[in-house]
Amino acid sequence: MFRLVKKQPGVNPPELNDDFRTAQEAWSRAQTIFGKTVEGFGRMKYRRVLGWGGFGVVLLWSVLDSEGDHIRDVATKFHFSDGRDWGLQGAQNELTYLRRYRGHEHIVQLVDLWGHVNFTDGHQFYNNPETDPAIIVMEVLEKCSAINLIERVAEARDYNRGFPHGPPQPKLEFIPNRVLWRLFRCLVRGIIGMAYPRLITLGDETVWRETVDENVEPLREIHFDIDFQNVLCGDMSHPFEDEEHSKAPILKLADFGLADKYDPASMSTYTTNVFIDRGKFTHSAPEQRDPRIAIAQSDYLGHPLNVWGVGVLMFNFMTLCHPDNDSWTFLNMPLQDQNGEVTRIDTWGWCLLANEAGLPTPFEDYDPLLCHLVARCMAHLPSQRPDLGQLLAVIEDAIRQTDSGTDSPNLARSQTEGDDLLVKFYTDYFRSPPERRDPYAAFWDQPLAPRDPSTRSDQFPSPDPIDQFQFPDPMSTNPSTRSRQLDSSIRSAQTPSLSLMDLSYGSAQLASPLDPSRSSVFFTPG
């Protein structure tokens, strides 16, 4: 596995090639379009670039009233109009789905600027899937993305361990169980909204908390890009206003450019395989990696693939790392449900689990029920992943039990976490989050240099988080040692105990061996 930590400054300097020039052109076009406002009304004030990549560029703006007072912040996404049709199609597709999910609490929402800012070009040029360019104006979640949270926790662990006797003000080195359960609930509600969308009329500003409707069949709409870059963190709520988000920030799904609905009536074997072959390979579900699964379990193509994405993201939150794709595989493990019943399934989340010999998982500081539920979401077969209603019910029951202090061995870790720990976690990572630096900030408004076709690529260099990570092993101050320990646990031996969160643990001896030709499951640098 590789740990999700940004490189040190200067390791990934800006690359001012033709791809960046294309982003510059979109940036310049955005300045022009959003600067054409009617006098006497509000205006848009540009603040900075939030990110750019193969899709286009995302800018942060403040909406000001006619007196110059701040109303709200919004993000605008411009796709590149340089002959790459997939950029336009992706933006139009995203707009189609965001309009469909209007009012959903755990999905990023479009913003209508009418009434605050009047543009000389009217209001049909944005948030309209029929236009070219397709311009998206959407809400800004004020805290961070999921990857920002993960990298901050990982960096805090490194920082704390740089002091032999402890830092003067140490930050938590992990996400508490009670917070994880709540983040899990947000993610599940987001994909429930895709399966059971609430269709509302334009102008209806009611916020809908996504729930399962047992009286209708779930739609088979698939996100195809649920990962730590496309989930955004908002703020906590006052308990009198919203109890559900009063102890942990809200999460929302974003970036629906690849989303699509599976229609088995119009799909052959070939078109099914083409249909699911999209998204990042590093996060692909088993049915995307192996077409035989997709065909054999075509009845389960739909929300189980979204459940997989949620499971992998929860795995990232818990381990602060992501599996090395070349050697990651599944193992057959006994999984226990909330009633204590045990079934064996093949899961890609096996390292969260203790093995049958009773040796603990390296991540034993998390609730056993949480580990088993995440591992079930990462089941190899779509049919063995939990359905949406079951998943939400288990999560909500776990939250109720841990908040009320109900004794449960499956939730033993959560029940040792008081509200003061949740307050510290919020204070450490959300009260004053650092503003993310844009390494290209000094170049956006510079004159465009002549194009050099030889520098154009299909993959844009960018300040995107995934391009800023180094790849050491997950959970140790000595990455190579830790990865070898995890690898050796698969082959046979127990390994020496290490320390995580100041608690002792040993590596797991796993139930099923891997192919001996695989030398490493976890990426060992150097």
Side-chain angles (χ1 to χ4, degrees):
M1 287 200 277
F2 59 84
R3 191 171 51 159
L4 301 175
V5 182
K6 286 191 296 186
K7 291 182 178 180
Q8 296 302 313
V11 174
N12 191 32
E15 227 179 308
L16 305 180
N17 58 15
D18 266 10
D19 291 332
F20 177 70
R21 293 183 186 89
T22 301
Q24 269 187 308
E25 291 169 357
W27 181 92
S28 179
R29 190 168 66 250
Q31 305 297 319
T32 300
I33 291 175
F34 282 101
K36 297 163 63 176
T37 58
V38 178
E39 290 188 13
F41 293 88
R43 62 185 178 88
M44 303 279 283
K45 181 180 179 181
Y46 169 73
R47 290 177 56 187
R48 62 187 175 92
V49 173
L50 291 175
W52 66 278
F55 56 83
V57 62
V58 181
L59 311 180
L60 176 65
W61 304 78
S62 290
V63 181
L64 308 180
D65 65 17
S66 58
E67 302 297 324
D69 294 328
H70 181 269
I71 298 175
R72 66 173 302 167
D73 290 337
V74 296
T76 62
K77 181 186 286 190
F78 280 70
H79 84 278
F80 295 142
S81 56
D82 63 344
R84 306 180 194 193
D85 290 341
W86 57 267
L88 174 61
Q89 293 168 2
Q92 292 174 332
N93 190 66
E94 180 168 13
L95 275 170
T96 298
Y97 277 93
L98 289 180
R99 287 162 66 100
R100 178 176 178 79
Y101 301 141
R102 186 181 288 114
H104 288 43
E105 186 177 29
H106 295 89
I107 292 176
V108 169
Q109 294 296 293
L110 297 174
V111 173
D112 187 359
L113 298 172
W114 176 258
H116 299 303
V117 180
N118 283 350
F119 298 99
T120 56
D121 293 335
H123 284 263
Q124 293 301 311
F125 70 89
Y126 67 89
N127 291 352
N128 183 350
E130 304 299 324
T131 60
D132 181 5
I135 301 171
I136 302 174
V137 179
M138 55 192 175
E139 66 177 323
V140 175
L141 272 75
E142 56 270 41
K143 294 305 179 181
C144 60
S145 65
I147 186 57
N148 298 145
L149 174 59
I150 293 169
E151 71 191 15
R152 289 174 196 167
V153 177
E155 288 166 357
R157 175 173 293 157
D158 290 342
Y159 174 79
N160 290 349
R161 293 180 182 182
F163 294 83
H165 304 291
Q169 293 182 318
K171 290 185 176 182
L172 287 182
E173 299 182 2
F174 61 98
I175 302 178
N177 285 275
R178 292 177 64 196
V179 173
L180 287 167
W181 278 114
R182 286 167 166 80
L183 300 183
F184 204 174
R185 177 169 61 185
C186 286
L187 295 171
V188 171
R189 285 203 187 277
I191 62 174
I192 286 174
M194 297 184 66
Y196 301 92
R198 175 190 175 217
L199 304 180
I200 63 175
T201 59
L202 186 64
D204 184 350
E205 297 184 358
T206 304
V207 176
W208 177 58
R209 180 158 291 166
E210 304 90 340
T211 56
V212 172
D213 186 346
E214 300 289 355
N215 297 316
V216 300
E217 286 292 318
L219 298 181
R220 303 173 77 169
E221 296 182 351
I222 306 171
H223 188 287
F224 283 115
D225 207 12
I226 296 175
D227 67 17
F228 39 60
Q229 298 178 74
N230 296 328
V231 171
L232 305 180
C233 304
D235 209 343
M236 293 202 308
S237 302
H238 193 284
F240 292 157
E241 298 175 353
D242 178 16
E243 176 64 27
E244 181 156 315
H245 302 109
S246 64
K247 289 183 169 64
I250 188 173
L251 297 185
K252 295 194 179 190
L253 300 183
D255 203 339
F256 287 78
L258 297 179
D260 207 346
K261 180 180 178 180
Y262 178 68
D263 180 10
S266 63
M267 297 282 183
S268 65
T269 297
Y270 172 77
T271 54
T272 294
N273 290 335
V274 172
F275 172 81
I276 64 172
D277 185 18
R278 66 182 83 184
K280 300 179 183 73
F281 183 65
T282 51
H283 291 74
S284 294
E287 55 268 38
Q288 294 175 284
R289 298 167 184 260
D290 186 348
R292 295 171 297 180
I293 299 176
I295 299 307
Q297 298 218 328
S298 60
D299 289 346
Y300 294 92
L301 287 182
H303 69 262
L305 208 153
N306 293 332
V307 169
W308 164 270
V310 167
V312 173
L313 182 53
M314 287 302 302
F315 181 95
N316 297 147
F317 279 138
M318 296 167 73
T319 65
L320 308 182
C321 62
H322 192 76
D324 175 35
N325 203 59
D326 291 337
S327 50
W328 189 26
T329 189
F330 61 89
L331 292 177
N332 187 263
M333 299 291 285
L335 287 181
Q336 186 173 354
D337 64 19
Q338 71 275 20
N339 300 317
E341 297 182 5
V342 177
T343 55
R344 298 193 67 92
I345 69 168
D346 293 331
T347 176
W348 295 69
W350 49 266
C351 72
L352 295 174
L353 308 172
N355 78 341
E356 293 168 289
L359 295 175
T361 166
F363 309 111
E364 65 173 341
D365 299 298
Y366 294 116
D367 282 335
L369 180 58
L370 178 62
C371 293
H372 282 254
L373 193 58
V374 171
R376 190 175 292 276
C377 290
M378 298 170 70
H380 184 61
L381 297 179
S383 59
Q384 294 184 325
R385 296 171 203 154
D387 65 51
L388 296 174
Q390 174 193 21
L391 192 52
L392 182 61
V394 173
I395 293 171
E396 293 206 296
D397 186 58
I399 292 172
R400 279 193 297 269
Q401 289 191 54
T402 55
D403 284 352
S404 65
T406 303
D407 185 39
S408 170
N410 282 328
L411 301 170
R413 296 295 184 183
S414 287
Q415 290 162 353
T416 64
E417 298 175 350
D419 286 353
D420 56 338
L421 185 70
L422 276 61
V423 171
K424 176 168 176 52
F425 176 77
Y426 178 81
T427 302
D428 285 348
Y429 295 107
F430 289 98
R431 178 147 294 169
S432 299
E435 187 168 291
R436 187 174 158 204
R437 185 183 68 87
D438 175 11
Y440 294 80
F443 303 99
W444 290 108
D445 59 355
Q446 296 301 306
L448 299 177
R451 287 187 172 275
D452 177 2
S454 66
T455 67
R456 174 169 169 167
S457 66
D458 290 333
Q459 297 298 321
F460 286 71
S462 74
D464 194 278
I466 197 65
D467 292 330
Q468 297 188 43
F469 299 137
Q470 55 188 348
F471 298 150
D473 183 78
M475 305 300 286
S476 172
T477 54
N478 186 333
S480 298
T481 299
R482 185 72 193 109
S483 61
R484 293 191 189 101
Q485 289 170 336
L486 288 168
D487 291 335
S488 65
S489 73
I490 299 168
R491 289 189 284 271
S492 61
Q494 299 180 34
T495 59
S497 62
L498 295 176
S499 178
L500 168 65
M501 308 175 197
D502 295 324
L503 297 173
S504 179
Y505 65 88
S507 295
Q509 182 182 9
L510 298 168
S512 302
L514 295 181
D515 182 340
S517 65
R518 297 179 182 269
S519 59
S520 177
V521 173
F522 300 94
F523 177 76
T524 304

